[in-house]
Amino acid sequence: MAPTERPLVVAANRLPLARAEDGSWTTSPGGLVRALLPTVQETKGSWVGWTGERDGQAEVVHADGIDLYPVPITSDEVDRYYEGFSNGTLWPLYHDAIRESNYRSDEWDSYVDVNQRFAIQIANIAPPHAAVWVHDYHLQLVPGLLRELRNDVRIGWFNHIPFPPLELFQRLPWRSEIIKGLLGADVLGFQRRQGAHNFMSAAQNLLDATELDEGLVHYEGRNVNVGAYPISIDVEDFELQASGRATRQRTAQIRSRLGDPEVILLGVDRLDYTKGIGNRLQAFGELLDQGRLDPERHVLVQVATPTREGVEQYQDERREIEQIVGEINGRHSRLGFPVIHYLYQSLPLDELIPLYRAGDVMLVTPFRDGMNLVAKEYVAAHVDGDGVLVLSEFTGAADELGEALLVNPHDDHALQNTIVRAVEMHRHERRPRMEAMRKRLETSTVSDWAKSFLDVLIDS
Ligand code: GDG
């Protein structure tokens, strides 16, 4: 079968769907959807995933010329498979075990059940010889389960988050089952080479898989390609939106609303304990305390998007961050001029892009992050060629954006000094750094990412 004829079936925990006001469904916008939708449409493929609703529907949805197949998930499974095993066990473990993981067999059982349901749904709807692209840590058993049901399809899996080193991964009581599940794929993709390397080492040590060649592993009579495919954004779209008149006007308005400070520092993250929001705020507060930053000249805007609000660790993290914001504002704000503008809300994209443009210094300081698209979005939005990016060395983005000011977010002093350096950087240094990052980004967009993965999936 010619590669272009293979229908593409995408499977991810969440369907790219949002409810319109009248209750009907529309596809939700986003880089991944824009990158994959054309191929799914052209090959008459489909999308499989959860609607995000407890005890939600199972009927197929037709939107944007494709079929989207919901996998129903019960309320109990949302607690155990999603909030429990995926977000309470795997998420912290895969991010350097930065929080204690729960290891509960009832949650694991639910994870197995939901993975089985996904595999059955894909097996039922995938056309003959389809290419099936499974996404993320929620669905690590799907490749193996699907392989048992349908041997004619090609199976790829991409991990959006880091894959941990063996020393951490082996804490997981079901470590061998997960590696076996993943080895059912033809191609396994990771954000960074380190993730691919960590997986290889787990496969060799836990299941006696053998590495034939760099990036090629042999297990139970089959070969599996393992490699790094760093994800990106729709650069052109960001640039286009960032250069529009409406964005320019809103950017100027934002600056003036903030009291026309000399430097606007910016953070944009899901409110997640991996993102290092607290450390960043503490560093900013410390610099104000020391007089190295001045509340009349320097203002920080922190957008913290609500996420996983049902998980206790996220409720704790929110309380902690809001306390820090309150303390710093209490010490350093003036009437009508808070020094930290904190938004616990999800902003529309046409507000986010002007904010990126208004940000003179962008603070991206996660303790660990698969890629971090915010860093790339900030660079793409700076069509003015200006702006400074402070970037944690523990993000995938740091591999590509070497002209950012790279920092270890665990090191308080380094973080403080880097923030001061960013704030004081002369435009003769700022502009060439930004230009180099923008050039590199233009040659590696989300479509390039999708194409490079699918080329290997279809041809290997
Ligand atoms: C996972 C991995 C990997 C945030 N606040 C608002 C908003 N956002 C958008 C950003 C960006 C996205 O959410 C966040 O993406 P990140 O990459 O920064 O982080 P995760 O959500 O943790 O994503 C990560 C990614 O998957 C892709 O593979 O890079 O490492 O953890 O696009 O713009 N968007 C809007 N309003 C907000 O308030 N509209």
Side-chain angles (χ1 to χ4, degrees):
M1 177 178 254
T4 48
E5 288 166 17
R6 275 190 197 274
L8 175 62
V9 176
V10 179
N13 175 58
R14 287 293 292 271
L15 281 174
L17 280 176
R19 282 259 192 219
E21 269 175 20
D22 63 358
S24 65
W25 293 105
T26 53
T27 52
S28 52
L32 186 69
V33 177
R34 270 197 297 274
L36 297 181
L37 203 58
T39 315
V40 177
Q41 285 165 338
E42 280 157 29
T43 62
K44 300 198 170 28
S46 49
W47 212 295
V48 177
W50 174 42
T51 59
E53 295 176 339
R54 288 174 185 254
D55 299 308
Q57 71 177 71
E59 298 83 52
V60 59
V61 178
H62 304 281
D64 275 331
I66 64 165
D67 294 334
L68 298 112
Y69 292 91
V71 175
I73 296 187
T74 66
S75 185
D76 182 57
E77 285 167 343
V78 175
D79 294 340
R80 293 174 197 222
Y81 146 79
Y82 181 66
E83 293 189 342
F85 199 75
S86 298
N87 291 332
T89 305
L90 296 174
W91 179 270
L93 183 67
Y94 282 30
H95 288 87
D96 287 1
I98 185 173
R99 289 284 186 282
E100 200 60 51
S101 287
N102 303 314
Y103 300 106
R104 290 179 42 168
S105 52
D106 61 326
E107 293 181 349
W108 163 253
D109 290 344
S110 179
Y111 185 81
V112 175
D113 288 348
V114 173
N115 272 253
Q116 242 150 9
R117 199 170 311 141
F118 265 84
I120 291 169
Q121 176 69 295
I122 300 166
N124 286 342
I125 60 103
H129 307 289
V132 179
W133 192 357
V134 183
H135 288 259
D136 237 352
Y137 60 101
H138 315 87
L139 303 179
Q140 294 174 99
L141 304 178
V142 168
L145 294 167
L146 179 59
R147 169 83 46 212
E148 284 171 20
L149 298 168
R150 288 282 303 270
N151 210 13
D152 61 308
V153 295
R154 311 264 325 148
I155 305 171
W157 176 82
F158 179 77
N159 196 28
H160 289 257
I161 69 172
F163 196 88
L166 179 62
E167 289 78 0
L168 292 179
F169 184 71
Q170 62 192 4
R171 291 185 189 178
L172 194 61
W174 308 279
R175 57 203 185 184
S176 300
E177 286 88 332
I178 292 216
I179 300 294
K180 199 171 162 60
L182 291 174
L183 285 170
D186 297 291
V187 183
L188 294 171
F190 298 84
Q191 300 272 26
R192 308 180 86 168
R193 287 164 63 101
Q194 189 61 46
H197 172 81
N198 289 345
F199 172 80
M200 275 290 196
S201 131
Q204 286 169 298
N205 281 281
L206 300 171
L207 287 189
D208 280 336
T210 40
E211 187 168 9
L212 297 177
D213 223 336
E214 220 209 307
L216 196 64
V217 63
H218 184 82
Y219 181 66
E220 290 191 338
R222 296 176 47 253
N223 291 345
V224 182
N225 267 285
V226 179
Y229 300 85
I231 198 170
S232 193
I233 58 168
D234 190 334
V235 179
E236 215 177 302
D237 191 58
F238 263 88
E239 288 182 343
L240 198 68
Q241 292 199 54
S243 19
R245 222 180 79 182
T247 300
R248 281 206 307 279
Q249 284 173 344
R250 181 63 188 145
T251 304
Q253 204 178 37
I254 289 172
R255 286 206 85 92
S256 130
R257 283 267 177 91
L258 294 173
D260 276 318
E262 225 165 86
V263 180
I264 298 173
L265 298 102
L266 176 65
V268 175
D269 315 76
R270 280 188 308 99
L271 201 158
D272 194 297
Y273 52 80
T274 59
K275 302 288 183 185
I277 303 171
N279 281 37
R280 169 194 318 165
L281 294 173
Q282 296 281 24
F284 181 68
E286 193 60 39
L287 290 168
L288 291 168
D289 290 346
Q290 297 164 8
R292 294 169 76 191
L293 291 183
D294 174 359
E296 296 197 17
R297 292 161 53 218
H298 307 116
V299 162
L300 172 65
V301 177
Q302 176 65 56
V303 180
T305 310
T307 181
R308 304 175 192 170
E309 290 175 291
V311 181
E312 202 182 310
Q313 292 155 329
Y314 286 75
Q315 296 160 2
D316 294 344
E317 179 71 10
R318 180 180 172 195
R319 264 192 298 275
E320 208 171 294
I321 285 171
E322 295 186 349
Q323 188 172 342
I324 299 171
V325 170
E327 284 170 3
I328 298 173
N329 271 341
R331 286 204 300 277
H332 295 287
S333 297
R334 295 163 294 142
L335 272 185
F337 295 97
V339 69
I340 300 178
H341 294 255
Y342 169 75
L343 304 174
Y344 181 66
Q345 31 189 287
S346 178
L347 302 180
L349 199 59
D350 60 7
E351 180 69 359
L352 190 61
I353 294 179
L355 249 188
Y356 280 143
R357 282 215 52 181
D360 302 300
V361 171
M362 181 85 211
L363 302 175
V364 178
T365 57
F367 298 122
R368 181 62 70 189
D369 214 330
M371 175 53 62
N372 195 288
L373 296 181
V374 166
K376 293 189 171 182
E377 290 168 3
Y378 176 75
V379 170
H382 268 263
V383 286
D384 57 356
D386 209 343
V388 184
L389 175 63
V390 171
L391 182 60
S392 160
E393 57 193 64
F394 303 121
T395 61
D399 290 347
E400 295 163 90
L401 303 176
E403 294 80 7
L405 295 185
L406 298 182
V407 68
N408 171 0
H410 298 277
D411 182 341
D412 294 350
H413 287 116
L415 196 51
Q416 291 164 21
N417 292 338
T418 309
I419 291 175
V420 171
R421 189 169 165 219
V423 165
E424 292 178 350
M425 191 184 281
H426 193 276
R427 64 194 290 272
H428 290 146
E429 185 179 353
R430 291 197 307 257
R431 297 190 76 89
R433 283 176 181 268
M434 182 54 86
E435 193 189 343
M437 292 193 283
R438 289 181 53 77
K439 270 212 176 114
R440 193 152 332 105
L441 200 55
E442 274 165 13
T443 60
S444 118
T445 71
V446 69
S447 310
D448 298 321
W449 164 79
K451 187 175 178 318
S452 66
F453 187 92
L454 288 172
D455 282 352
V456 178
L457 178 60
I458 287 161
D459 293 340
S460 62

